[in-house]
Amino acid sequence: MSTTTNATNRAESSPGPIRELNPIALASAGAIVAAAVMVLLGVFGAVGVYEGAVRMMEQWHLFFEPTVVGTVAGVIEAVIITFVFTYSVAWLYNVFAQR
């Protein structure tokens, strides 16, 4: 039975300082952050705080409004956009890091 850990196996399988990004993990983390920011802006908009930032989000996001339905729609929109964008960035990084 082997006593090596997963961290040891990952370190040994990497040829040098360049490591491969996990696109799903990075995209998921970015989507969670985007969802949290949209919820905060929805709450801030409902209470009347940071109205400038709320107005900007209303301009930039098609479905966002400082209401419950608008916040949920904005969260869904932000999660999808952020997931696709960060997944693409991680994928491109992995393509260029292999060269």
Side-chain angles (χ1 to χ4, degrees), residues 32-65:
I32 290 169
V33 170
V37 169
M38 284 302 237
V39 167
L40 281 175
L41 283 172
V43 170
F44 289 158
V47 240
V49 182
Y50 294 116
E51 293 176 358
V54 173
R55 279 195 305 273
M56 281 188 264
M57 279 298 158
E58 287 177 320
Q59 291 173 354
W60 295 339
H61 291 274
L62 184 62
F63 301 111
F64 178 78
E65 291 179 6

Side-chain angles (χ1 to χ4, degrees), residues 75-86:
V75 165
I76 292 169
E77 178 186 10
V79 163
I80 291 170
I81 291 169
T82 304
F83 187 91
V84 169
F85 179 75
T86 53

